Amino acid sequence: MAKIVYNYIDGEWRESESARTFETSNPANSAETVARYQQSTAKDARRAIDASASAADEWSQMPAPERGSILTEASRRLTNRKAQLTELLVREEGKTKTEASGEVQRAIDIFAYYGSKASDLGGEVRASSSHQTDLYTIREPMGVAALITPWNYPIAIPAWKLAPALATGNAVVFKPASLTPGVAAKLVETLDESGLPDGVCNFVTGPGSEVGSTFATHEDVDVVSFTGSTAVGNLVYDQATDDQKRVQLELGGKNPAVVSASADVERAADIVAAGAFGVTGQACTATSRAIVHEEVYDEFLKAIVDRTETIDVGPGLEGGEMGPQVSKGELESTLEYIDSALKEGAELVTGGNVPKSEVAEDGYFVEPTVFADVQSDMRIACEEVFGPVLAVIPVSDFDEGVEVANDTEYGLSASVITENLSEAHRFTHEVEAGVVKVNEKTTGLELHVPFGGMKGSSSETYREQGDAGLDAFSISKTVYVNY
């Protein structure tokens, strides 16, 4: 029988009030059950919030360097169990072993980073216009932070929310996505073993309609941080802001890579393929559109097809270069987008099918897919596919390339591939995206700089990671001392 994982509330691993569970399966082998988790209720969510609210004051009063030492210890313990976490992530989410190992390392690095940053928390001193007056600011925690995380980066995204929230002195309630809760539970277990006081971090699995909604609406929650789809994010925002909670949203993307006439085409194809097909295209920053100057369009199309057809599709634990989609529903959604693109007149130049290989027959695999001659009003060019599907769009010049890049409701990540310095600088200023890259793939983030989107990709309130992550979970107080 598969292992049963419990909720973690007030320092104890507990069964849900419902006494019901749900299962996760291996997307590379759908017959394999990975684990069973608690099908929690609103009552479980409220119990978790109560525990956080009770623990918040004492945790906030702990010296910040002492809080940081717990995060640093968690980083050390995560390092010791990296191989175990990597395998669990592959089995539950479907990433390749290399991708999963890199994600676990990101979580390790994030806890080390914020463990160190905790010692630098403070405010600013300013000169007062009055005599015999000290004027300065201090930073204080918000109180209780509710964290709701997605399935596609099931340890990295929880890490980059949990670590700054805890470093700044907040107590936390945390709901991971139901498709991939395993490594999140291990992360919480590691924090417990690292000395985190009871009640400071509470972990509840279950449906968003029960657990997530309770987190977003409860009067004792002060800040909500959500990463996921735009539709669900907008619902969370509406629920949370009814009583003026602080809200941080990171949502979908339709990320362009503009290939200039001056680009090295072979290099451009490598960059675009890595961004489009890495992590099976299941990243909010994945390259979804290649917008290519007509002078190099045919050459680029051949190069991207050649590169795509070398990708080995198969289970991550068996050495596949691209793993499965996370679930049957995600696979069906991707296949529906492929069918829609064909009906709208896009040219399928490679992929588009479920692989017929023996290693792929038991999982949710799809071939990496490239469509040519895509128009910017087609669904495949407008909507987030969240699968390994690339739309190649021809443009007549650089200005049209930027215009097409911006012709979307999203604004998360964007890339330009060019040898023209003027184009590179113009792109960074003119493209509507929160992350802009020159001669790099749209995916991949540094942990010490802000991350977030524009337009429909974000609430455009607070950024994540770096110092911005600390800002999201703290509030400034200004102090006047007349002596």
Side-chain angles (χ1 to χ4, degrees):
M1 179 178 288
K3 178 184 177 181
I4 299 177
V5 180
Y6 295 96
N7 292 331
Y8 180 77
I9 299 175
D10 203 14
E12 296 182 4
W13 294 93
R14 303 182 179 187
E15 186 179 34
S16 167
E17 290 287 333
S18 73
R20 300 197 310 271
T21 61
F22 64 92
E23 294 181 346
T24 60
S25 62
N26 183 344
N29 178 9
S30 58
E32 177 191 339
T33 299
V34 177
R36 293 166 59 200
Y37 301 91
Q38 303 305 299
Q39 186 79 356
S40 302
T41 66
K43 187 172 183 179
D44 295 303
R46 288 192 293 269
R47 178 182 288 179
I49 294 166
D50 290 345
S52 285
S54 296
D57 284 349
E58 185 174 351
W59 175 245
S60 70
Q61 292 163 15
M62 180 183 289
E66 191 174 341
R67 294 196 300 263
S69 69
I70 294 173
L71 303 185
T72 301
E73 175 63 14
S75 176
R76 188 187 69 80
R77 288 174 179 267
L78 289 170
T79 300
N80 292 340
R81 56 179 61 171
K82 181 178 178 181
Q84 173 196 8
L85 293 169
T86 296
E87 180 172 341
L88 176 57
L89 201 160
V90 174
R91 291 181 61 223
E92 204 161 64
E93 198 274 347
K95 282 185 171 72
T96 68
K97 196 168 184 178
T98 298
E99 291 166 345
S101 177
E103 182 180 343
V104 173
Q105 186 62 50
R106 171 54 63 94
I108 292 167
D109 293 344
I110 286 169
F111 274 92
Y113 173 80
Y114 283 110
S116 175
K117 291 292 288 185
S119 296
D120 294 331
L121 292 175
E124 299 175 339
V125 177
R126 290 289 186 260
S128 173
S129 59
S130 301
H131 292 284
Q132 296 180 310
T133 300
D134 288 336
L135 181 62
Y136 60 92
T137 67
I138 56 178
R139 304 290 296 184
E140 295 187 344
M142 297 295 294
V144 175
L147 313 179
I148 304 171
T149 61
W151 53 261
N152 60 324
Y153 284 93
I155 191 168
I157 292 178
W160 80 49
K161 294 182 188 293
L162 275 165
L166 294 171
T168 48
N170 297 276
V172 168
V173 289
F174 168 34
K175 190 198 96 64
S178 294
L179 285 171
T180 56
V183 286
K186 290 292 183 183
L187 182 54
V188 172
E189 180 183 289
T190 302
L191 284 166
D192 174 57
E193 294 169 355
S194 301
L196 195 71
D198 293 350
V200 173
C201 179
N202 298 279
F203 169 85
V204 183
T205 56
S209 58
E210 288 268 342
V211 179
S213 291
T214 304
F215 284 178
T217 57
H218 198 286
E219 61 183 6
D220 286 339
V221 171
D222 301 288
V223 54
V224 178
S225 181
F226 170 90
T227 298
S229 72
T230 298
V232 176
N234 289 336
L235 177 62
V236 169
Y237 187 90
D238 290 342
Q239 292 177 329
T241 53
D242 272 352
D243 61 354
Q244 299 184 324
K245 288 180 176 62
R246 179 178 290 183
V247 180
Q248 176 191 64
L249 302 179
E250 291 305 332
L251 308 172
K254 195 64 183 171
N255 310 296
V258 174
V259 181
S260 164
S262 67
D264 178 323
V265 172
E266 291 294 331
R267 183 184 180 202
D270 286 342
I271 291 170
V272 171
F277 306 127
V279 297
T280 319
Q282 297 178 134
C284 56
T285 55
T287 305
S288 187
R289 298 175 294 153
I291 300 166
V292 184
H293 195 289
E294 60 187 12
E295 289 183 12
V296 295
Y297 181 82
D298 290 339
E299 185 182 357
F300 173 83
L301 198 60
K302 181 180 184 306
I304 193 68
V305 168
D306 289 346
R307 174 67 186 90
T308 302
E309 291 178 349
T310 68
I311 296 173
D312 179 29
V313 178
L317 292 176
E318 297 178 22
E321 187 181 355
M322 190 185 89
Q325 300 235 239
V326 72
S327 68
K328 182 179 180 181
E330 289 296 323
L331 173 61
E332 290 175 344
S333 175
T334 296
L335 294 174
E336 196 276 326
Y337 273 109
I338 291 170
D339 184 60
S340 172
L342 291 169
K343 290 177 179 176
E344 289 187 281
E347 180 188 357
L348 178 64
V349 289
T350 190
N353 298 298
V354 172
K356 293 182 171 58
S357 63
E358 185 175 335
V359 295
E361 64 183 5
D362 296 321
Y364 305 124
F365 294 93
V366 63
E367 295 170 338
T369 299
V370 178
F371 280 98
D373 297 333
V374 175
Q375 302 300 311
S376 60
D377 60 349
M378 292 179 179
R379 283 185 65 205
I380 200 172
C382 298
E383 300 177 15
E384 187 176 37
V385 177
F386 230 67
V389 179
L390 177 68
V392 185
I393 303 171
V395 292
S396 59
D397 57 29
F398 180 77
D399 288 336
E400 185 185 2
V402 175
E403 181 181 349
V404 171
N406 290 335
D407 186 21
T408 173
E409 66 181 287
Y410 299 105
L412 186 53
S413 182
S415 171
V416 64
I417 304 163
T418 182
E419 298 299 317
N420 184 308
L421 186 61
S422 175
E423 290 178 345
H425 281 290
R426 280 188 57 200
F427 188 81
T428 63
H429 288 285
E430 295 175 21
V431 74
E432 297 166 354
V435 176
V436 186
K437 297 189 174 186
V438 177
N439 296 324
E440 290 191 21
K441 61 185 180 178
T442 56
T443 52
L445 305 167
E446 297 271 4
L447 63 84
H448 60 293
V449 291
F451 168 65
M454 296 178 175
K455 302 192 290 188
S457 291
S458 171
S459 56
E460 297 186 333
T461 50
Y462 291 86
R463 297 307 201 200
E464 297 191 289
Q465 304 201 92
D467 287 337
L470 300 169
D471 293 340
F473 295 105
S474 59
I475 192 164
S476 178
K477 179 185 287 184
T478 303
V479 180
Y480 297 75
V481 179
N482 187 304
Y483 54 87

